[in-house]
Amino acid sequence: MKDHERPTARLTRRSDDFTDDRTALLVLDGPSRSGKGETGKALRTASEACGLSAIEVVNGLNFRAMAKAAIAEGCNPDSRLLESFIEAPSTRELMLGYLSVSSGMSPQELDAYFYTPEISSLSGRVGAIASAHTTATEILRSRVESASKDDVDVVIIDGRAMGPYAREFERDGLGRFVMSWYLKCDPAVAARRNLKLFAPIDELSPEDQLK
């Protein structure tokens, strides 16, 4: 990857006390296709290479799981029934089931499971529903709390505006907020990533360049 194609990041340091044995909370913030996923995987690999246990929590998957549940149950996305569906306890159970199934998937399997055009389109509508954010935050909290109880060393939280939640989790004794990165990527590169065109622009075919 060329230097100008690499995501850039703004770092916010919360704590530099690495002798603290509470679960370390690392946050990756930034827009879609900014490189949060790859950065999260790199942080997890680096943590494990240092002998630390680490997990990634991708908040966006919560909204995709809601969208997948709505599609599976035949909920009309253009009706007000979508909000009622999102708020139903049975929907949360469906979501948790999808998230559990996806936890051991490869990136390719995860793409096919959660990143279809239909799910991507509907997850945007789901994200406009206030109660969907409440549900997603509750699931995020439960995963961080579970990791803390299991003495996981590092939790990497991937999602938009997650810093305030990490601070809240720290206040509630669920870990220590170590630092947050805000990642951004050149718009042209982000568009190519969205189209899964990973070669440098000058190596793409004329047809792919037009995309």
Side-chain angles (χ1 to χ4, degrees):
M1 183 181 289
K2 296 181 179 179
D3 287 343
H4 72 277
E5 296 178 334
R6 296 181 184 278
T8 58
R10 183 175 69 245
L11 174 65
T12 301
R13 183 180 297 277
R14 170 69 176 181
S15 168
D16 55 8
D17 180 5
F18 291 96
T19 64
D20 192 325
D21 62 0
R22 291 176 295 167
T23 296
L25 306 177
L26 308 180
V27 173
L28 298 175
D29 193 357
S32 175
R33 298 298 181 182
S34 59
K36 297 190 299 294
E38 284 86 350
T39 304
K41 290 178 178 62
L43 285 171
R44 180 174 182 174
T45 298
S47 298
E48 291 173 344
C50 293
L52 302 173
S53 56
I55 65 167
E56 297 170 68
V57 180
V58 182
N59 192 52
L61 289 186
N62 293 326
F63 297 95
R64 290 181 176 274
M66 292 182 216
K68 187 176 181 72
I71 293 167
E73 295 300 302
C75 180
N76 183 350
D78 295 318
S79 74
R80 294 182 63 85
L81 292 175
L82 180 59
E83 184 170 355
S84 298
F85 177 82
I86 293 301
E87 294 172 352
S90 58
T91 300
R92 181 174 178 133
E93 294 305 312
L94 282 172
M95 284 178 57
L96 292 174
Y98 291 141
L99 292 168
S100 176
V101 168
S102 69
S103 61
M105 288 183 175
S106 68
Q108 294 77 15
E109 291 171 329
L110 199 63
D111 268 359
Y113 195 70
F114 273 141
Y115 288 85
T116 65
E118 189 177 16
I119 290 175
S120 295
S121 176
L122 185 53
S123 65
R125 299 187 188 185
V126 169
I129 298 173
S131 56
H133 288 268
T134 301
T135 298
T137 302
E138 289 172 351
I139 292 174
L140 173 66
R141 169 180 280 273
S142 70
R143 292 202 62 190
V144 173
E145 185 173 13
S146 177
S148 180
K149 288 179 178 177
D150 293 341
D151 294 324
V152 173
D153 295 308
V154 180
V155 173
I156 302 154
I157 302 172
D158 172 337
R160 300 293 300 271
M162 290 289 102
Y165 292 106
R167 292 184 178 91
E168 178 183 314
F169 298 155
E170 181 179 57
R171 288 195 299 269
D172 293 344
L174 302 182
R176 59 187 177 93
F177 177 28
V178 177
M179 60 182 69
S180 172
W181 292 265
Y182 186 89
L183 283 78
K184 60 181 181 178
C185 189
D186 180 273
V189 176
R192 282 165 38 216
R193 288 166 52 82
N194 196 47
L195 293 168
K196 302 186 185 304
L197 302 174
F198 299 113
I201 189 72
D202 54 1
E203 295 179 13
L204 294 176
S205 68
E207 293 79 5
D208 284 340
Q209 289 186 26
L210 283 174
K211 292 180 181 179

